[in-house]
Amino acid sequence: MKIGFLLVVFLAFFGIMPAQELPRRAVLGFDVASLNSDSEKSAETGVVVKSLVSPTEAGGIHVGDVVSAVAGQQVSRPEEVLAILRKVRPGEQVSIELRRNGHPLEVQVSAQPAPYESSPNVDVLYRAVEANGSLRRVIVTKPKANGVFPAILLVGGLGCYSVDGLTDKDVPYGQIVYTLTREGYVVMRVEKTGEGDSQGPPCSAPESDLKIEAAGYAAGLKALRAYDFVDRDRIFILAHSIGPLVAVLVAQQGGVRGMIAAETIGRAWFDYQIEIARQQPLDIGEAYDVIERQARRNEVCLHYFYVEKETPESLLKRDAGCRDILVPGVPYTYLQQVADLDLAAQWRKLDMPVLVIYGTSDGATSADESHYLVSMINSFHPGRATYVEIPGMAHILNTSPSRGQFLRDHGGPHPQLHPAILPTLENWLRKQVAVGKG
């Protein structure tokens, strides 16, 4: 998540396109991760092979190999590998330069089309929508039975990542998607620009701003309303983290019965950034005098970045310490537009039931932010917003003993879904679906 500029979200130029018009992305048979700076490899550059997705297609690459170049281009971050693969077609041979136990090697790997998701319990449909002149991949899961079903548009959190390749035993999004589908809901995911099979500019590029992201979800919502297996009067949005700030814009095109806003904020992004910069160091035990010195510096950096609209390059020339306020891999244009959002004005336009969820171990936001959002919505539309607090749930809807522990664990092993989140979602959705029936 993160006044002078009035954000206008252009939701034109989107429509529904057949899935076959969007080709499958290429993969190399292995996954990579950033090098651990604390490890013995800390002096090396490149990315480390963390798993073999398809050992027979990995070209003899081993887990633990350090990849330094792909297709002749040096790499130091996983997203750089993905950017290179966007230009590779399935079937092409790709040279991989790597080091194994300190020894340089070069191997040739055959790029393959990414496997499609499948499940014995639900139908998985790969389709495409058009947004801002390029095709976006949408992945739809639906119950196996014939009929018309309520539907959910999933709007994810901050950053550039793919929502393709999930399973019902996967990280929280996968478990939520497949469980809700088995419970009788159609669920749609929309790939961000340049992610997965989606065309358009790379997600991390400056042109990939908030307007571009909102247009993709708006196109997905329009497609949901057109599917013959969707009850168009019972479409919901499930938005997580920064997702509600995008979803509040998308829902204004109409056709949304209600929204779930999980682990999010209610105040302006600028105010949130100042507050969280103080709170997070406290959660992990930093000294107050250290926190206050850094907070004062952050306030100046935030002003120049969000109010004066300085680019990251200009900001870092002013003060290299301002690097702490930037979000790696997220376009600065996106963050500055989020900061320009008048959230109160946007939420006032929506008169619908809203469930606001906060987990007490979430160190990325606060109960105060969620209470503020609920009070804001109810001030405009009395009784429409409901607050639910889940003890021990952290920001990625996972289990954690405390806010501080969540912050210390961030980036660690795949989190386990908190056991209370699915019943919370299902109970609220069931009540909303039942309204007006019978």
Side-chain angles (χ1 to χ4, degrees):
M1 294 178 304
K2 276 204 191 233
I3 328 197
F5 162 22
L6 176 62
L7 176 67
V8 179
V9 180
F10 296 99
L11 301 181
F13 308 111
F14 56 74
I16 306 165
M17 300 293 289
Q20 63 268 25
E21 294 190 18
L22 188 53
R24 197 71 172 129
R25 72 185 189 278
V27 295
L28 294 178
F30 58 89
D31 283 336
V32 297
S34 298
L35 285 172
N36 183 352
S37 60
D38 297 326
S39 74
E40 59 184 3
K41 298 187 176 74
S42 60
E44 294 188 285
T45 58
V47 293
V48 64
V49 177
K50 65 177 183 178
S51 65
L52 301 182
V53 179
S54 176
T56 60
E57 296 166 358
I61 287 177
H62 298 173
V63 171
D65 288 347
V66 177
V67 175
S68 57
V70 176
Q73 300 181 50
Q74 298 295 310
V75 295
S76 59
R77 301 192 308 274
E79 53 265 32
E80 293 173 344
V81 178
L82 295 176
I84 294 169
L85 287 178
R86 292 184 73 212
K87 303 174 184 177
V88 174
R89 294 181 179 180
E92 291 184 17
Q93 292 293 308
V94 180
S95 65
I96 307 291
E97 297 175 34
L98 58 88
R99 292 183 299 279
R100 181 178 300 156
N101 299 322
H103 300 291
L105 295 171
E106 182 174 351
V107 300
Q108 298 291 319
V109 176
S110 178
Q112 301 295 322
Y116 290 98
E117 281 182 31
S118 63
S119 170
N121 304 311
V122 306
D123 292 330
V124 185
L125 311 176
Y126 279 75
R127 299 191 172 184
V129 296
E130 186 178 5
N132 291 92
S134 63
L135 294 180
R136 304 280 184 86
R137 170 66 73 205
V138 296
I139 306 162
V140 180
T141 51
K142 66 175 289 292
K144 284 278 189 185
N146 294 325
V148 176
F149 306 95
I152 300 166
L153 174 67
L154 176 65
V155 180
L158 184 66
C160 295
Y161 51 88
S162 174
V163 290
D164 191 2
L166 302 183
T167 74
D168 58 0
K169 296 179 177 61
D170 208 340
V171 291
Y173 283 175
Q175 296 174 56
I176 288 171
V177 164
Y178 278 93
T179 301
L180 291 177
T181 306
R182 287 195 299 269
E183 292 297 316
Y185 297 90
V186 172
V187 183
M188 173 186 278
R189 288 162 272 160
V190 180
E191 291 276 42
K192 299 184 181 187
T193 177
E195 291 295 319
D197 296 337
S198 286
Q199 299 172 346
C203 174
S204 59
E207 57 265 44
S208 300
D209 57 13
L210 180 60
K211 294 178 288 185
I212 292 286
E213 181 165 325
Y217 287 116
L221 178 59
K222 182 178 179 181
L224 267 180
R225 288 176 54 79
Y227 295 156
D228 59 8
F229 50 82
V230 166
D231 181 348
R232 61 181 301 165
D233 294 323
R234 288 174 172 79
I235 296 176
F236 302 89
I237 295 179
L238 169 55
H240 169 238
S241 188
I242 203 172
L245 281 69
V246 182
V248 72
L249 304 172
V250 173
Q252 289 173 29
Q253 72 168 285
V256 178
R257 183 67 171 265
M259 188 187 305
I260 298 170
E263 310 298 342
T264 192
I265 66 171
R267 295 180 176 85
W269 181 257
F270 185 90
D271 297 336
Y272 158 77
Q273 288 272 274
I274 290 176
E275 178 58 29
I276 206 69
R278 278 190 170 89
Q279 185 58 52
Q280 287 184 339
L282 285 174
D283 289 337
I284 60 175
E286 289 280 1
Y288 276 86
D289 58 337
V290 174
I291 293 170
E292 285 304 315
R293 282 198 302 272
Q294 187 59 48
R296 289 171 183 271
R297 186 179 206 172
N298 283 345
E299 288 178 6
V300 175
C301 296
L302 290 166
H303 172 83
Y304 281 110
F305 185 62
Y306 287 119
V307 179
E308 302 296 334
K309 299 293 188 294
E310 288 199 1
T311 65
E313 293 76 17
S314 173
L315 186 67
L316 295 178
K317 284 181 182 178
R318 178 185 299 279
D319 183 347
C322 289
R323 187 178 305 277
D324 291 342
I325 73 157
L326 302 174
V327 183
V330 177
Y332 75 91
T333 49
Y334 179 97
L335 293 172
Q336 289 176 346
Q337 289 181 351
V338 167
D340 285 330
L341 278 174
D342 182 340
L343 289 178
Q346 301 301 332
W347 279 106
R348 185 168 196 155
K349 297 174 185 178
L350 292 184
D351 184 5
M352 64 174 60
V354 179
L355 174 65
V356 178
I357 302 173
Y358 174 72
T360 60
S361 294
D362 182 2
T365 180
S366 67
D368 191 45
E369 286 285 352
S370 289
H371 283 301
Y372 188 91
L373 177 58
V374 170
S375 297
M376 176 201 298
I377 294 169
N378 285 335
S379 74
F380 301 135
H381 310 289
R384 297 296 255 172
T386 305
Y387 175 79
V388 171
E389 188 168 283
I390 299 179
M393 187 172 77
H395 190 70
I396 24 189
L397 310 176
N398 60 310
T399 299
S400 185
S402 68
R403 292 167 55 93
Q405 191 61 50
F406 163 73
L407 293 170
R408 286 186 286 269
D409 290 344
H410 195 56
H414 284 172
Q416 294 299 309
L417 190 68
H418 192 286
I421 183 64
L422 278 168
T424 300
L425 299 177
E426 291 168 11
N427 290 340
W428 186 85
L429 286 166
R430 193 177 300 116
K431 291 176 183 176
Q432 303 308 317
V433 167
V435 173
K437 283 193 171 183

